Amino acid sequence: MTGAGAILTASAVWAIAVGIGLAAVGFLAPKNSLHVSERVAASAVVGAWLLHYGVWAVGAWRFDRVSMLALLAVAGLLAAAGLWRWRTLISALSLPRDRMAKAVLAGIAVLAIGMIVGALAPPADADAVRYHLVLPRRDLELGRIQLDPAWSVYDSYPALMEMLYRIALAIEGARAAQEIHVGAALLAAAGTYGLGQRAGLEPRLAGLAAFLFLAIRLVMYQSATADIDQIMVLAYVSFLSVLLAWRESPDARLVALAGLLGAAVLGIKYTGIVMLGATGLALLAIDLRPRLLAALVLMGLFAVAGALPLFVHNYLATGNPVFPLYHHLFGADFLSPLAGADEGFRRGSGVLGLLLSPLAIFLTPLKYDGPQFGV
């Protein structure tokens, strides 16, 4: 395992994901409906979503270095047309000419290099060494992917990012997995840039928004770990961009694309259910139109359908599609696997406690999930 190998493996995974996604996004997103950066970010999400199902299917039969290299080879062939399109998209971009834009681009480059170098350190993040990398390592030792909630409650969690980590872990090791998360952060910055342009910002200010995102202390730290937060940002920002694009120019294909991106959000973390629901409610509060309501319902149906394999797997294994959440409501055994687990995290109550929790979690981390080195 070498640093260069880790970087190249992660780069290959994201290049293939973007290539596969560009083919789908090119079909679903009408011409000029998305900015270049929005198109690339959304393609990365769709490609990662498709790739994670490929890993799951192949890995359930055989999970090792050979099978993952074979999967990447086949996926690379499928991504060839999209990768060629990616080349034409990039060639259409121009380097910034004014000083501020050049300074912003230089700042992003410095942050990116820092994250890439940081990801070459041995895994030390709490969640990474607890399950994000441990479960893929277990599967690698078993020779097949085994998602068994009876073995670990974390096996029932959405696993889109963990499937990408399985590719990296099998081919090049844990450092490659961490580099994949760096790639997700950089693509999330590209999505932020596109969202800024959609909001009306001129390119240099949209670039500043991307820089400020990457410069957040927590983003800088977590990007270099095998976590899932940055791909969640990438998926949600892409979903939001497509949703706003549909509002500007309603097209049924954009509804389908937003639904696929919503499926990716659900496939990353259960909190995606709340994020997508809150977004829909917020839009309806602003503009309650039957057409908007119908589009949001269709997006939700597409999203649930795209995440259905996870829900079905959990239901067949535990009787609860969102295990371990609310298992006392679903489970025939009336058990609650997380009963009491939240007591160590619950600090404050009521509306005021909820509003102050983002501040309190950084001021008093020991009262929540413990201190995170570097944060």
Side-chain angles (χ1 to χ4, degrees):
M1 297 186 295
T2 64
I7 295 170
L8 287 174
T9 299
S11 300
V13 169
W14 279 120
I16 290 171
V18 171
I20 294 173
L22 277 172
V25 173
F27 176 75
L28 293 174
K31 188 176 180 180
N32 300 324
S33 62
L34 297 176
H35 296 287
V36 173
S37 55
E38 289 178 314
R39 192 173 291 270
V40 171
S43 298
V45 176
V46 173
W49 174 72
L50 292 170
L51 197 56
H52 108 277
Y53 278 130
V55 175
W56 193 355
V58 173
W61 166 67
R62 173 176 172 174
F63 178 53
D64 56 19
R65 193 170 192 267
V66 173
S67 65
M68 292 299 101
L69 283 172
L71 174 65
L72 280 189
V74 173
L77 292 175
L78 296 175
L83 290 173
W84 183 257
R85 182 177 177 82
W86 190 14
R87 170 186 168 277
T88 59
L89 287 174
I90 293 176
S91 64
L93 299 177
S94 58
L95 293 175
R97 297 180 180 178
D98 62 279
R99 291 183 178 179
M100 177 180 173
K102 289 181 179 178
V104 168
L105 187 60
I108 291 175
V110 169
L111 292 175
I113 292 172
M115 293 173 184
I116 291 170
V117 173
L120 296 177
D125 178 72
D127 288 347
V129 299
R130 192 162 59 206
Y131 58 96
H132 288 313
L133 290 180
V134 168
L135 296 182
R137 172 67 68 183
R138 174 207 63 192
D139 292 344
L140 192 59
E141 293 174 355
L142 289 173
R144 62 183 178 84
I145 293 177
Q146 172 184 290
L147 300 182
D148 184 4
W151 197 94
S152 170
V153 69
Y154 299 116
D155 268 329
S156 62
Y157 284 17
L160 188 153
M161 192 58 159
E162 285 80 359
M163 291 299 175
L164 300 188
Y165 288 159
R166 282 174 168 85
I167 299 177
L169 200 64
I171 294 175
E172 194 62 31
R175 291 189 293 182
Q178 295 184 146
E179 295 294 354
I180 283 183
H181 201 215
V182 173
L186 297 179
L187 287 163
T192 301
Y193 175 80
L195 189 60
Q197 286 188 303
R198 184 162 298 281
L201 296 179
E202 58 181 281
R204 62 178 182 174
L205 293 180
L208 181 60
F211 169 78
L212 292 175
F213 163 72
L214 291 175
I216 296 172
R217 190 179 183 188
L218 189 60
V219 172
M220 291 178 64
Y221 162 72
Q222 283 197 326
S223 297
T225 68
D227 221 310
I228 60 174
D229 298 273
Q230 305 317 315
I231 195 173
M232 179 60 108
V233 175
L234 168 61
Y236 179 73
V237 166
S238 297
F239 166 79
L240 192 57
S241 288
V242 173
L243 179 56
L244 295 177
W246 176 87
R247 287 197 71 202
E248 295 173 8
S249 181
D251 189 295
R253 289 174 293 174
L254 289 175
V255 172
L257 178 56
L260 288 181
L261 294 169
V265 171
L266 296 180
I268 296 168
K269 201 169 186 177
Y270 280 135
T271 50
I273 300 172
V274 178
M275 294 169 66
L276 297 180
T279 303
L281 291 175
L283 282 178
L284 290 174
I286 297 172
D287 185 9
L288 182 56
R289 289 182 298 163
R291 189 174 189 177
L292 175 60
L293 178 59
L296 290 174
V297 169
L298 285 175
M299 290 176 193
L301 291 175
F302 275 118
V304 172
L308 203 57
L310 169 71
F311 299 139
V312 171
H313 171 269
N314 283 348
Y315 179 77
L316 293 176
T318 68
N320 176 3
V322 291
F323 185 84
L325 303 182
Y326 305 108
H327 191 55
H328 61 289
L329 300 178
F330 289 97
D333 48 16
F334 296 101
L335 296 176
S336 179
L338 299 182
D342 61 342
E343 294 299 328
F345 307 124
R346 187 180 299 146
R347 292 295 181 273
S349 59
V351 176
L352 183 60
L354 177 64
L355 294 175
L356 293 178
S357 59
L359 176 63
I361 197 170
F362 287 104
L363 295 180
T364 56
L366 284 173
K367 294 182 179 180
Y368 290 84
D369 197 21
Q372 300 290 327
F373 296 110
V375 180

